[in-house]
Amino acid sequence: MTSTYGDFPGARPRRLRTTPAMRRMVAETRLHPAELILPVFLREDITKPAPLEAMPGVVQHTRHSLRKAAAEAVEAGVGGIMIYGVPEESKKDATGTAGTDPDGILQVAIRDVRYEVGDDLVIMSDLCLDEYTDHGHCGVLDAEGRVDNDATLERYAEMARVQADAGVHTVGPSGMMDGQVRVIREALDAAGHQDVSILAYTVKYASAFYGPFREAVGSSLKGDRKTYQQDPANVRESLRELRLDLAEGADMVMVKPGLPYLDILRRIADAVDVPVAAYQVSGEYAMIEAAAANGWIDRDRAIMEALTSVRRAGAGMILTYWATEVAQRLNRGE
């Protein structure tokens, strides 16, 4: 058999797969602890961490356990922490006033984590009303029960100010209201918080993969969010949202969920010159944990493969509930 350059038997790609060291050396995509962001939940009415049934290994934190989790993330080299507040049910109301209370649970969490880790971890906050409203929607409702976009923006501006006053480094507006990035940027700047950055939830689909998250934040949702979160069937809509968010002043952009939308993530990453994040959401986490618990997949390999695929698709940052665990594994060279 005659061999020509590039043909078998001269060309044997398997030569670059022969040993772990070889495979590691030629790997095209790598995970790094600093690229990982840990989502956490601080719940107001508990005295010890409350495990989440749908998300094995994840808890609703007390103030003490949250500070400990933040310190562990720093020690592992995790890049950031995204904080969600879970207020007492009695404090929820139609306009989510607990979300703008300077002493509300999220602002308490921000101050606690900032005190614990200072600037060693990028402290991020969820800027949305859904955890604090008695109807569970991400905004204020009008007389017909629809989310009122512009009235909601006024509440977001106030949320941005109190979160920045509490010491947050980055706000993450996740409500998918039109104009939210511009209003938040203007509110932060007017309050003297020009250095607080915005991680825009630019592409957030109305996804079934958020299911376990509802338990994590004690959601009171009635109905669905299809009038403001995006249709899973659409691509051009995502690119339009991207153009708008960048024009309004987004410092970073996000795609959520991650694995079901790797094609969208790739399109977004190719289109921008700002950092791109992806959120490996609760349903993605729960599926892997459940399948592993039943012995159907190798848990550790599945976690790393899923995260690598999100990184390969273009995410420079990944929000994942496995952030600290994976960072520790990476530090051990696993």
Side-chain angles (χ1 to χ4, degrees):
M1 182 176 182
T2 302
S3 175
T4 58
Y5 180 77
D7 293 334
F8 179 83
R12 294 179 181 266
R14 287 184 57 192
R15 293 185 185 118
L16 302 183
R17 305 170 194 156
T18 53
T19 66
M22 177 66 77
R23 294 190 294 273
R24 185 170 59 248
M25 184 181 72
V26 302
E28 299 174 29
T29 304
R30 302 180 193 278
L31 294 172
H32 190 279
E35 299 166 348
L36 304 177
I37 299 167
L38 176 67
V40 293
F41 309 96
L42 178 62
R43 180 172 161 183
E44 196 161 26
D45 57 349
I46 56 175
T47 57
K48 60 182 180 180
L52 297 173
E53 182 179 359
M55 300 174 67
V58 179
V59 302
Q60 293 171 322
H61 283 287
T62 65
R63 293 178 66 180
H64 174 74
S65 67
L66 176 61
R67 291 193 297 269
K68 181 180 178 182
E72 289 174 348
V74 169
E75 185 178 1
V78 169
I81 188 168
M82 174 65 78
I83 307 174
Y84 296 85
V86 185
E88 294 181 36
E89 196 69 26
S90 63
K91 294 185 178 180
K92 295 182 180 182
D93 59 25
T95 59
T97 54
T100 51
D101 180 353
D103 294 318
I105 188 61
L106 180 53
Q107 285 65 254
V108 168
I110 293 167
R111 287 194 292 268
D112 282 353
V113 173
R114 189 66 187 265
Y115 177 81
E116 183 71 30
V117 302
D119 293 331
D120 292 339
L121 195 64
V122 179
I123 301 169
M124 303 177 170
S125 56
D126 179 57
L127 200 162
C128 195
L129 288 171
D130 59 319
E131 295 99 319
Y132 311 100
T133 55
D134 53 14
H135 48 73
H137 280 285
C138 297
V140 178
L141 303 185
D142 63 17
E144 282 74 43
R146 302 169 300 189
V147 175
D148 185 326
N149 191 95
D150 295 5
T152 299
L153 294 181
E154 295 179 17
R155 302 287 295 124
Y156 284 3
E158 190 175 353
M159 289 189 82
R161 288 190 289 268
V162 298
Q163 291 176 7
D165 288 344
V168 79
H169 296 107
T170 301
V171 294
S174 60
M176 293 302 292
M177 296 298 119
D178 294 339
Q180 63 184 14
V181 173
R182 181 181 301 280
V183 167
I184 290 167
R185 183 73 272 157
E186 291 174 352
L188 289 169
D189 291 352
H193 293 298
Q194 293 90 346
D195 289 341
V196 174
S197 56
I198 299 175
L199 170 59
Y201 282 62
T202 295
V203 183
K204 185 178 181 182
Y205 285 99
S207 173
F209 288 92
Y210 303 146
F213 181 86
R214 307 273 164 79
E215 177 194 357
V217 296
S219 175
S220 304
L221 180 64
K222 301 175 178 66
D224 59 50
R225 299 186 172 120
K226 293 180 180 179
T227 64
Y228 45 102
Q229 294 179 356
Q230 293 170 231
D231 185 343
N234 292 350
V235 177
R236 289 191 299 271
E237 183 179 34
S238 298
L239 298 175
R240 185 184 187 199
E241 292 278 5
L242 175 66
R243 289 192 295 271
L244 291 169
D245 280 356
L246 292 176
E248 292 175 17
D251 299 289
M252 301 170 277
V253 296
M254 187 194 296
V255 175
K256 181 179 181 181
L259 280 178
Y261 298 96
L262 294 181
D263 59 323
I264 306 299
L265 177 57
R266 182 75 269 163
R267 293 284 294 271
I268 297 295
D270 287 343
V272 301
D273 57 3
V274 299
V276 177
Y279 200 137
Q280 186 185 55
V281 300
S282 59
E284 299 173 60
Y285 177 96
M287 288 192 301
I288 290 177
E289 290 287 355
N294 279 283
W296 297 335
I297 60 173
D298 182 318
R299 176 185 181 274
D300 292 352
R301 287 183 60 194
I303 290 170
M304 300 305 284
E305 186 174 339
L307 289 171
T308 299
S309 72
V310 174
R311 181 72 180 86
R312 189 185 64 240
M317 303 172 291
I318 306 174
L319 286 84
T320 174
Y321 300 98
W322 289 303
T324 300
E325 175 189 339
V326 168
Q328 292 167 342
R329 290 171 58 185
L330 292 171
N331 291 334
R332 293 193 298 265
E334 298 179 12

